[in-house]
Amino acid sequence: MKESLNVAVCGATGAVGREMLKTLAQRNFPCASITALASARSAGTKVPFGDQEITVKELTKDSFKGIDVAIFSAGGSVSKEFAPYAAASGCVVVDNSSAWRMDDRCPLVVPEVNADDLEKHNGIIANPNCSTIQMLVALKPLHDVATIKRIVVTTMQAVSGTGKKGLDELETQVRRLFNMQEIETKAYPHQIAFNCLPHIDVFQENDYTKEEMKMVNETHKMLDPNIRVTATCVRVPVFFGHSESINIETEKKLTAAEARVILTQAPGVRVVDNPRANMYPLAIDAAGCDETFVGRIREDESCENALNLWVVADNVRKGAALNAVQIAEELLRRDLYHVAQPDMFLAK
Amino acid sequence: MKESLNVAVCGATGAVGREMLKTLAQRNFPCASITALASARSAGTKVPFGDQEITVKELTKDSFKGIDVAIFSAGGSVSKEFAPYAAASGCVVVDNSSAWRMDDRCPLVVPEVNADDLEKHNGIIANPNCSTIQMLVALKPLHDVATIKRIVVTTMQAVSGTGKKGLDELETQVRRLFNMQEIETKAYPHQIAFNCLPHIDVFQENDYTKEEMKMVNETHKMLDPNIRVTATCVRVPVFFGHSESINIETEKKLTAAEARVILTQAPGVRVVDNPRANMYPLAIDAAGCDETFVGRIREDESCENALNLWVVADNVRKGAALNAVQIAEELLRRDLYHVAQPDMFLAK
């Protein structure tokens, strides 16, 4: 079993890439070496890693020699192109894009939900979509006890989910509106400042967005294909932290009190649910935190066995960087840093 | 049948009261006279009415002599105290507070939904809660055709729902945060700028908020007591316009295309539903408009007969002032400006 690893972060200059480096340093991930990779355009710039600064190198097919684990956060097309070469070098990839999530050869993993799926990995492991991660961290312990039949979820997602350009767009629009200036829309199709956009990622044939269908498909892959899921995903003028209003129907009756006890003991969950003291999860409180916050736990009086929940997490942290680093840690704990068929993803 | 009416607006200096006056003027409501009433503190100030300015008078028990219709928007306790005296003077009250909504003697009316309920009024007519109004304008035509069995709704409500103090709080917090200053919370229990608060109105025994239970109870009173409703109401950093993510289950199957046709023909509804052109209802577009905007109409693939909808309206306009004025207009059309038992609400 390896004691320390040669680590690469691909897409190291982006919002999530920087958070990956920060998270690796904060959690004292056993790095024998750390390599920051990005496009040629960003090569030569410096990014922080703990109290060091590391120089970004250009990502190429040959970047992965001697690397044990590569965490990708450089978008789907970069992952599609380069992750197969990483795996072919015997490097295990943890990929934050949507490129490999629904590929049967690639486990899609939230450690609190389905860590065992890592055992059958083939060199590329997919990190789920941010909005699915926090939902399943909250729902898995309830599903184990009461079997969830149906999920109706509405998300309120922060602009940090769009990376630096989302953060910049909200800030710039707010500043310009408050100075009576015309605004521009670049990151989003419409004004995000003081508005709600029911549109995240691209629209599909069925009029759902890709973000909405990710919540359906990733829940089926990770938790249970029998759960019926429907989602409405909304971008809101919040910088950090996704909030989710979730309604679940279960086979077995769960009272709100029972759900509260189960969730209080669940890994990765922090229950904040004292409405009389105005205590419930908030995006501004979740920002920078590792946990998934759950509150507003109520029995849905409109349905025999149903609950409403309000689930909040830092979408850049648990929703992306932290979950990826947790996967890397779990692989180490289980001694899974080997790739049995290195050319699997290169061979068509 | 009366041709013009002596009109009073109670709570004329508030955000909704001003919108009432504006709406009465814009729609050329046949005012023989217009009286603006408010607390002693505001008496003597001036408020705009069309291109005039009118001087606010103090609201007292004797304010209603000779008044045909009084539109109240001065909060529940003022309505509870003064509406009975108005009715006792033979004046018909349209009350925007929650004081009379669940009183069996008082019709609760959205003209597009249940105008016939006005026929049995006793002098006080209640204007529903903003979030319920826009939901029912959108759902009534679908209920007529397919019979709604269950509603799961999550709202994203603008700060204008809290009146001027909500608008001020969001603006002030944003300015201070952008200037690296400490913020204060007065209108809300937590920061509203760049945050989502799953808390509107006070918490009830069952851990739902009063706002959430209004959506349940008012739907039962106005549309159908057999519809099972569950709501999660969220305050978001938007100035004007409530957005609602609504999931409905129906007895009869409705395709998205059928729902779109029905809603296109429905009174008070404007369908904006062309996702491929990035067209869907938005709070910033609904602000200042009379219609309830409906889009993102999708078949919920998780359930046999279910649809998802995204419904947006100006909460101060259709959600309050306009609906009240529409009630006043409908009363005129139906010749209902008479109070059969003027002392009904005074007598205990």
Side-chain angles (χ1 to χ4, degrees):
Chain A
M1 182 168 157
K2 295 187 178 176
E3 289 197 344
S4 68
L5 299 163
N6 295 310
V7 180
V9 172
C10 305
T13 54
V16 174
R18 286 167 186 271
E19 191 73 22
M20 300 274 190
L21 288 165
K22 186 172 137 193
T23 307
L24 287 165
Q26 280 178 342
R27 294 173 71 91
N28 294 312
F29 189 83
C31 299
S33 71
I34 180 94
T35 306
L37 300 168
S39 65
R41 193 167 41 87
S42 296
T45 60
K46 288 181 189 297
V47 286
F49 175 67
D51 45 17
Q52 310 167 40
E53 285 219 306
I54 50 178
T55 303
V56 175
K57 293 182 190 165
E58 184 183 350
L59 169 62
T60 71
K61 294 171 186 176
D62 303 320
S63 295
F64 303 98
K65 291 199 178 108
I67 302 288
D68 298 300
V69 56
I71 306 183
F72 273 70
S73 185
S77 56
V78 173
S79 289
K80 269 268 186 263
E81 184 177 352
F82 291 99
Y85 292 102
S89 300
C91 165
V92 177
V93 171
V94 181
D95 179 42
N96 192 47
S97 81
S98 64
W100 303 98
R101 287 183 191 150
M102 298 316 294
D103 190 311
D104 288 338
R105 299 168 297 180
C106 302
L108 179 70
V109 174
V110 177
E112 293 89 340
V113 175
N114 62 334
D116 287 348
D117 288 356
L118 291 171
E119 300 283 345
K120 55 184 188 203
H121 86 78
N122 293 300
I124 301 178
I125 295 147
N127 202 43
N129 187 43
C130 48
S131 45
T132 316
I133 291 176
Q134 69 183 71
M135 180 169 83
L136 295 194
V137 168
L139 296 190
K140 159 77 163 140
L142 303 177
H143 185 57
D144 285 348
V145 173
T147 311
I148 295 171
K149 291 158 60 181
R150 182 169 180 232
I151 301 170
V152 179
V153 56
T154 296
T155 69
M156 289 163 229
Q157 299 185 220
V159 295
S160 51
T162 319
K164 189 175 177 314
K165 68 176 187 292
L167 294 165
D168 288 347
E169 182 128 324
L170 175 56
E171 186 186 333
T172 306
Q173 287 184 354
V174 168
R175 280 197 196 284
R176 294 188 66 90
L177 287 167
F178 272 30
N179 287 291
M180 306 290 173
Q181 294 172 310
E182 289 285 306
I183 61 153
E184 288 181 347
T185 55
K186 287 185 283 192
Y188 304 109
H190 304 280
Q191 175 185 324
I192 182 62
F194 311 115
N195 200 15
C196 294
L197 303 184
H199 177 182
I200 300 182
D201 210 333
V202 294
F203 282 99
Q204 311 289 288
E205 266 309 303
N206 64 359
D207 284 351
Y208 284 82
T209 59
K210 198 170 166 192
E211 184 82 0
E212 290 160 353
M213 294 315 296
K214 284 174 190 169
M215 295 193 80
V216 177
N217 298 328
E218 296 181 15
T219 298
H220 288 163
K221 182 163 175 176
M222 284 189 283
L223 190 58
D224 188 335
N226 297 313
I227 301 176
R228 301 169 305 161
V229 185
T230 191
T232 300
C233 292
V234 183
R235 187 76 66 193
V236 293
V238 167
F239 286 107
F240 294 97
H242 289 354
S243 302
E244 299 182 343
S245 170
I246 304 176
N247 181 277
I248 56 166
E249 280 180 62
T250 52
E251 293 274 358
K252 194 180 146 235
K253 171 83 183 169
L254 266 188
T255 65
E258 288 165 345
R260 226 170 267 126
V261 169
I262 293 164
L263 287 167
T264 302
Q265 298 161 349
V269 172
R270 194 181 325 162
V271 173
V272 180
D273 195 14
N274 186 355
R276 270 153 209 84
N278 295 334
M279 289 174 65
Y280 29 73
L282 293 174
I284 55 163
D285 294 335
C289 293
D290 287 352
E291 297 96 330
T292 295
F293 296 81
V294 186
R296 299 293 330 271
I297 304 169
R298 293 155 289 160
E299 285 151 51
D300 168 1
E301 297 172 347
S302 83
C303 188
E304 213 179 340
N305 299 338
L307 289 173
N308 286 307
L309 309 159
W310 176 254
V311 176
V312 180
D314 185 328
N315 53 300
V316 177
R317 206 163 165 83
K318 180 58 186 170
L322 173 64
N323 197 71
V325 173
Q326 284 177 308
I327 289 172
E329 290 169 348
E330 192 67 29
L331 289 166
L332 192 63
R333 199 170 300 123
R334 292 172 182 247
D335 196 17
L336 293 171
Y337 277 108
H338 46 80
V339 181
Q341 293 182 57
D343 60 351
M344 178 184 280
F345 296 96
L346 282 178
K348 190 63 200 170
Chain B
M1 185 166 154
K2 295 186 178 177
E3 289 198 341
S4 68
L5 299 163
N6 296 310
V7 179
V9 172
C10 306
T13 55
V16 174
R18 286 168 186 272
E19 191 72 23
M20 299 273 189
L21 289 165
K22 186 171 138 192
T23 307
L24 287 164
Q26 279 178 340
R27 293 173 72 90
N28 295 312
F29 189 83
C31 298
S33 71
I34 180 94
T35 306
L37 300 169
S39 65
R41 194 167 39 87
S42 296
T45 61
K46 287 180 191 296
V47 286
F49 176 67
D51 45 17
Q52 312 166 40
E53 286 217 307
I54 50 179
T55 304
V56 175
K57 293 183 190 163
E58 184 184 350
L59 170 62
T60 70
K61 293 170 186 175
D62 303 319
S63 295
F64 303 98
K65 292 199 178 107
I67 302 289
D68 298 300
V69 56
I71 306 182
F72 273 70
S73 184
S77 56
V78 172
S79 290
K80 270 266 186 265
E81 184 178 352
F82 291 98
Y85 292 101
S89 300
C91 165
V92 177
V93 171
V94 181
D95 179 41
N96 192 49
S97 81
S98 64
W100 303 98
R101 286 182 191 149
M102 298 314 293
D103 190 311
D104 288 338
R105 299 168 298 179
C106 301
L108 179 69
V109 174
V110 176
E112 294 89 340
V113 175
N114 62 333
D116 287 348
D117 288 355
L118 291 172
E119 300 283 346
K120 55 184 187 203
H121 86 78
N122 293 299
I124 301 178
I125 295 147
N127 202 44
N129 186 44
C130 47
S131 46
T132 316
I133 292 175
Q134 68 184 71
M135 179 167 84
L136 295 194
V137 168
L139 296 189
K140 159 76 165 143
L142 304 176
H143 185 58
D144 284 348
V145 173
T147 310
I148 296 172
K149 290 159 59 182
R150 183 170 180 232
I151 301 171
V152 179
V153 57
T154 296
T155 68
M156 289 164 227
Q157 300 185 219
V159 295
S160 51
T162 320
K164 189 175 178 312
K165 67 178 188 291
L167 295 164
D168 288 347
E169 182 129 324
L170 175 56
E171 187 186 333
T172 306
Q173 287 185 353
V174 168
R175 282 197 195 283
R176 294 187 68 90
L177 287 168
F178 273 29
N179 286 292
M180 307 290 173
Q181 294 171 309
E182 290 284 308
I183 61 154
E184 288 180 347
T185 55
K186 287 184 284 189
Y188 303 110
H190 304 280
Q191 176 185 322
I192 182 62
F194 311 116
N195 200 15
C196 294
L197 303 184
H199 178 181
I200 300 181
D201 210 333
V202 294
F203 283 99
Q204 310 290 287
E205 266 310 302
N206 65 359
D207 284 352
Y208 284 81
T209 59
K210 198 170 165 192
E211 184 83 359
E212 290 161 353
M213 294 315 296
K214 285 174 190 169
M215 295 193 80
V216 177
N217 298 328
E218 296 181 14
T219 298
H220 289 163
K221 181 163 176 176
M222 285 189 283
L223 189 57
D224 188 336
N226 296 313
I227 301 176
R228 301 168 304 162
V229 185
T230 191
T232 300
C233 292
V234 183
R235 188 75 67 191
V236 293
V238 167
F239 286 107
F240 294 97
H242 289 356
S243 302
E244 298 182 344
S245 171
I246 304 175
N247 181 277
I248 55 167
E249 280 180 62
T250 51
E251 292 274 358
K252 195 180 144 233
K253 171 84 183 168
L254 265 189
T255 65
E258 287 164 345
R260 225 170 268 125
V261 169
I262 292 164
L263 287 167
T264 301
Q265 298 162 350
V269 172
R270 195 183 323 163
V271 173
V272 180
D273 195 13
N274 187 354
R276 271 153 209 83
N278 296 332
M279 289 173 66
Y280 29 73
L282 293 173
I284 55 163
D285 294 336
C289 293
D290 287 352
E291 297 96 331
T292 295
F293 295 82
V294 186
R296 299 295 326 274
I297 304 168
R298 293 154 289 159
E299 284 150 52
D300 169 0
E301 297 172 347
S302 83
C303 188
E304 213 179 340
N305 299 338
L307 288 174
N308 286 307
L309 308 159
W310 176 253
V311 176
V312 180
D314 186 326
N315 53 300
V316 177
R317 208 165 162 81
K318 180 57 185 170
L322 173 64
N323 197 71
V325 174
Q326 284 177 308
I327 290 172
E329 291 169 348
E330 192 67 28
L331 289 166
L332 192 63
R333 200 170 298 123
R334 292 172 183 245
D335 196 16
L336 292 171
Y337 277 109
H338 46 80
V339 181
Q341 293 183 58
D343 61 350
M344 178 185 280
F345 297 95
L346 283 178
K348 190 65 200 170

